Amino acid sequence: VQLQASGGGFVEAGGSTRLSCAASGSIFRIYAMAWYRQAPGKRRELVAAITSGGSTNYADSVKGRFTISRDNAKNTVYLQMNSLKSEDTAVYYCNAHVISSHHYTGADYWGQGTQVTVSS
């Protein structure tokens, strides 16, 4: 199973961008999917998560500005980021809890990380 993230880059403060993360490989089912971020010198933190049924939760710092969504048919999770602030600058990682079709066992998988830099 692989998670491939895309999107991000340089964005001006107040601007928007969207991240995507597609899962591929021997997938039987994907349960929760999420986005984390890690800023320089800080610990990785949860940004937003979404269940297979569409229930979501967000870090307080991004509520009202970020929206997580998923397309189950495409095994893809998105993060729409609006009203970006300089403190949103970080490497963003996608995460998914996947049931493999090989042995029908579950595990957490991570994408490679994508940089989002917000210029003030």
Side-chain angles (χ1 to χ4, degrees):
V1 177
Q2 299 86 37
L3 270 60
Q4 181 67 46
S6 60
F10 289 90
V11 187
E12 289 188 356
S16 299
T17 194
R18 189 175 83 152
L19 307 182
S20 301
C21 178
S24 62
S26 302
I27 298 169
F28 173 69
R29 184 170 294 166
I30 302 177
Y31 286 108
M33 304 183 83
W35 288 95
Y36 288 74
R37 68 185 180 187
Q38 187 166 19
K42 295 188 177 181
R43 299 176 65 178
R44 189 173 298 188
E45 63 174 357
L46 176 68
V47 175
I50 184 168
T51 67
S52 57
S55 297
T56 59
N57 68 282
Y58 296 90
D60 288 342
S61 59
V62 307
K63 281 181 182 176
R65 300 188 299 121
F66 291 9
T67 301
I68 189 171
S69 61
R70 64 190 284 172
D71 184 334
N72 291 330
K74 295 181 180 180
N75 292 333
T76 300
V77 63
Y78 306 95
L79 185 68
Q80 178 66 42
M81 307 164 65
N82 299 330
S83 302
L84 282 161
K85 306 175 181 179
S86 57
E87 50 262 45
D88 295 318
T89 295
V91 177
Y92 284 72
Y93 299 90
C94 57
N95 168 274
H97 187 77
V98 180
I99 307 298
S100 166
S101 59
H102 276 167
H103 303 291
Y104 299 97
T105 55
D108 278 342
Y109 294 87
W110 292 88
Q112 80 281 13
T114 185
Q115 177 72 45
V116 175
T117 302
V118 183
S119 60
S120 56

